[in-house]
Amino acid sequence: MSWSAELVEALGRENVITDPARLRTYECDGLTGYRVQPAMVVLPRSAGEVAAAVRVCARHGVPFVARGAGTGLSGGALPVADGIVISLQRLRRIMEVDPVNLRAVVEPGVTNLDISKAAAPYGLYYAPDPSSQQVCTIGGNVAENSGGAHCLKYGFTVNHVLAAEVVLADGTVTRLGGESPQLPGYDLLGAFIGSEGTLGIVTQVTVRLLAKPAAIRTMVADFATVAGAGDAVTGIIAAGIVPAAVEMLDNLAIQAVAASTESVYTPDTAAALVVELDGPPDDVAEQFDEVQEICRRNGSTKIMVAADAEHRALIWRGRKAAFAAVGRISPNYFVQDGVVPRGRLAEVLGRIAAMADDAGIRVANVFHAGDGNLHPLVLYSEGEGQHDRAEHLSTQIAELCVELGGSLSGEHGIGADKACSMPRMFGQDDLATMLRLRSAFDPDGLCNPGKVFPTPRLCGERPGPYRPHPLEEAGVIERL
């Protein structure tokens, strides 16, 4: 029996997609510049069915890519042409909310925000908050070690996951981590989180819940220059203040937000900082005054303080809608998420602006300024070679972050997008050690192949829009 027939038998015809038109839904993630149509998509309804699908793939040597909501921005869920996509969208049960032990047990298809909604009646919430938290799923968050605006104070997904049930490359179901906060032995759970689907597929997650803070204060500070906003961020952290969040938007991002949603941001300001503090009321009040003074010393032209919870929500709605809003001024863009030391924010933003001018490409900046996690959006139009120029500029920006003492990625992952830049950050021995770890989990390389690590095929033939061969252009051959 063929592998495709085995999958139909294991999961049922209604849970298998082979129609080419329907397969196109799964040909890319949020990084739409790269597209590959898979041979098949399967829609398991349980961890058992995920394991059954993986066992079929293991027997026949079929590569597979796990997919959540498809909101990733590094090509991490890019399919393999001769492989399958295992969609986890139907595994969306919240199994348990335990307010006594401050934890929840959920399936991978549960959205990030739904965890906080389920915990809210107990005065609890789930801290990591990616901008796409309304639609992104916890399975994808685990794969990419997602952060969000409040990761400055509260950390990333890895800091909030206690345990995970996973399906390994041979179809074995195992459990990593445990209910105790301290476990002996190697941290295999830590290795799995952020592995971008290359070590297996998560089918259940136990997350840590936190009590809602007693007080929250939020402000937006305008600046006449991006450099001034960057210097204010450095000053806040240097003063020993750790806000819950410090976000920056430049003018192009602010204009996009204003055009797409009800906005509280000043349309003509060069840059805006969103600063939020939370914790005990007295501490928050004292530090909030200090933050405002630091912003003024660094050239803030206007400070708006959220008057109430509704006003605060409006501020965050605009910030979290920024990526989608930019789509109104440019339907095509690459997003990077390199990290630089906070003290070099002004420098890196200046260099990005100069690089964009040289390339003739617009770049919008909206990012987690508090931990130096940049999110430059490189905008382009189809035709006139803009895709290739934008892709090249995007790669240059990521590698600039490494040059300045930072990292290729803060939370979006390496995926297919930045795999060829990995040798800029890691030596050959480093990459070989990482591959040994991957091979321990997945000896045959079937789990999400072509991601994270540079390969001759990936780095010689980058995925992206179809480029005709010169003989095709000359009419000698034709594309089938």
Side-chain angles (χ1 to χ4, degrees):
M1 185 182 297
S2 67
W3 62 264
S4 57
E6 281 193 44
L7 285 170
V8 171
E9 183 178 80
L11 277 76
R13 168 59 65 184
E14 69 277 11
N15 300 311
V16 173
I17 298 174
T18 54
D19 175 62
R22 294 179 65 196
L23 289 175
R24 292 192 64 183
T25 302
Y26 300 86
E27 67 184 4
C28 69
D29 58 10
L31 187 67
T32 58
Y34 301 160
R35 297 174 184 267
V36 175
Q37 186 167 294
M40 176 184 286
V41 173
V42 297
L43 302 158
R45 296 158 296 188
S46 66
E49 289 190 351
V50 173
V54 171
R55 284 195 293 270
V56 171
C57 291
R59 280 197 298 272
H60 294 273
V62 176
F64 57 89
V65 176
R67 179 186 173 100
T71 58
L73 294 166
S74 65
L78 189 73
V80 180
D82 57 349
I84 72 167
V85 168
I86 299 177
S87 171
L88 303 172
Q89 279 289 288
R90 293 182 177 174
L91 278 71
R92 53 178 60 186
R93 291 181 299 166
I94 296 177
M95 316 288 287
E96 179 186 8
V97 175
D98 181 353
V100 175
N101 293 300
L102 301 178
R103 64 184 182 87
V105 182
V106 301
E107 290 187 319
V110 173
T111 64
N112 175 290
L113 189 58
D114 278 348
I115 300 176
S116 289
K117 287 180 178 178
Y122 307 100
L124 305 173
Y125 76 111
Y126 178 65
D129 61 336
S131 294
S132 58
Q133 67 180 145
Q134 295 186 35
V135 290
C136 70
T137 59
I138 190 65
N141 291 176
V142 168
E144 302 292 351
N145 191 24
S146 302
H150 292 81
C151 64
L152 172 61
K153 181 174 182 178
Y154 292 103
F156 291 74
T157 300
V158 70
N159 304 112
H160 299 272
V161 172
L162 297 170
E165 176 189 85
V166 303
V167 176
L168 301 179
D170 62 355
T172 300
V173 180
T174 191
R175 186 171 177 82
L176 305 176
E179 315 238 333
S180 170
Q182 299 296 331
L183 296 170
Y186 295 117
D187 183 13
L188 297 179
L189 177 63
F192 194 92
I193 297 171
S195 62
E196 304 190 31
T198 62
L199 303 185
I201 301 175
V202 63
T203 52
Q204 189 182 97
V205 188
T206 302
V207 300
R208 188 193 314 273
L209 301 175
L210 300 181
K212 292 181 179 179
I216 303 175
R217 299 290 304 279
T218 308
M219 57 174 269
V220 178
D222 293 347
F223 290 84
T225 65
V226 171
D231 289 341
V233 173
T234 303
I236 292 168
I237 303 302
I241 300 170
V242 182
V246 181
E247 300 288 291
M248 186 188 294
L249 297 84
D250 71 4
N251 183 256
L252 187 54
I254 291 168
Q255 290 183 37
V257 170
S260 65
T261 186
E262 183 181 358
S263 176
V264 296
Y265 296 95
T266 306
D268 59 352
T269 192
L273 284 184
V274 179
V275 184
E276 183 164 283
L277 284 84
D278 65 14
D282 290 344
D283 291 349
V284 169
E286 179 181 348
Q287 292 186 345
F288 199 71
D289 290 342
E290 190 174 352
V291 167
Q292 292 183 72
E293 179 56 31
I294 291 170
C295 288
R296 291 189 185 99
R297 286 203 305 265
N298 285 279
S300 175
T301 56
K302 173 186 173 184
I303 294 177
M304 176 185 65
V305 177
D308 50 33
E310 184 177 348
H311 192 191
R312 172 179 174 262
L314 198 59
I315 291 171
W316 281 112
R317 191 176 305 135
R319 162 59 187 93
K320 295 200 171 188
F323 278 21
V326 167
R328 287 177 172 264
I329 61 175
S330 176
N332 302 298
Y333 57 78
F334 289 97
V335 182
Q336 284 298 345
D337 79 314
V339 183
V340 295
R342 279 183 293 262
R344 307 194 78 166
L345 274 175
E347 177 186 358
V348 73
L349 291 170
R351 290 185 62 177
I352 289 172
M355 292 160 63
D357 286 344
D358 290 343
I361 296 286
R362 293 183 299 169
V363 175
N365 288 286
V366 49
F367 59 95
H368 310 317
D371 58 356
N373 187 190
L374 305 176
H375 288 339
L377 292 92
V378 182
L379 317 182
Y380 69 94
S381 301
E382 293 291 354
E384 301 180 359
Q386 281 208 18
H387 175 278
D388 290 350
R389 295 208 315 275
E391 183 180 22
H392 179 65
L393 175 59
S394 179
T395 299
Q396 283 185 308
I397 291 171
E399 294 179 355
L400 171 64
C401 293
V402 176
E403 177 190 326
L404 296 179
S407 167
L408 288 171
S409 176
E411 59 177 340
H412 294 173
I414 300 298
D417 181 37
K418 295 184 280 288
C420 297
S421 297
M422 285 287 274
R424 295 296 185 104
M425 185 170 177
F426 298 103
Q428 290 301 312
D429 289 345
D430 300 322
L431 293 171
T433 301
M434 294 181 202
L435 278 167
R436 289 185 68 183
L437 173 64
R438 175 177 179 169
S439 296
F441 280 81
D442 177 22
D444 297 322
L446 298 179
C447 297
N448 207 12
K451 315 296 165 50
V452 181
F453 299 100
T455 65
R457 184 182 185 281
L458 176 64
C459 300
E461 304 173 23
R462 296 297 300 272
Y466 175 71
R467 298 176 175 84
H469 190 277
L471 292 177
E472 183 182 347
E473 292 181 324
V476 177
I477 61 174
E478 62 181 43
R479 183 186 180 195
L480 299 177

